[in-house]
Amino acid sequence: CSYFSPSSLTYCFAQAGFTVLSISEEYGGQFLCIEARGRESDSDEMATEGVGGGETACAAGEFTVQCQKKMH
């Protein structure tokens, strides 16, 4: 069971300052894997089109805050 969809995980990583290089489902869809690197500039960003608003945006915002706390 995953708390994220591919688009919501991509959105969270992009909002936290990462460039998403790839995202995939592995082990028969049991795991959602992401490869990302720190963003070098604001123009170095993967598109986050298709990500829903509302609940997902709220959860993504909280995820971003928690990630930033852990990184500092």
Side-chain angles (χ1 to χ4, degrees):
C1 176
S2 178
Y3 294 104
F4 294 96
S5 67
S7 61
S8 66
L9 188 59
T10 298
Y11 178 82
C12 287
F13 270 71
Q15 290 299 304
F18 292 91
T19 297
V20 176
L21 304 174
S22 67
I23 190 160
S24 62
E25 291 183 7
E26 303 295 333
Y27 300 100
Q30 293 180 44
F31 293 92
L32 187 56
C33 300
I34 190 164
E35 180 182 4
R37 64 178 165 79
R39 192 177 309 143
E40 294 178 16
S41 68
D42 288 339
S43 63
D44 184 19
E45 185 174 354
M46 184 174 181
T48 57
E49 296 176 20
V51 176
E55 231 176 89
T56 301
C58 183
E62 180 61 26
F63 176 83
T64 301
V65 169
Q66 294 303 318
C67 282
Q68 289 172 341
K69 285 180 183 178
K70 290 179 181 182
M71 292 173 58
H72 293 288

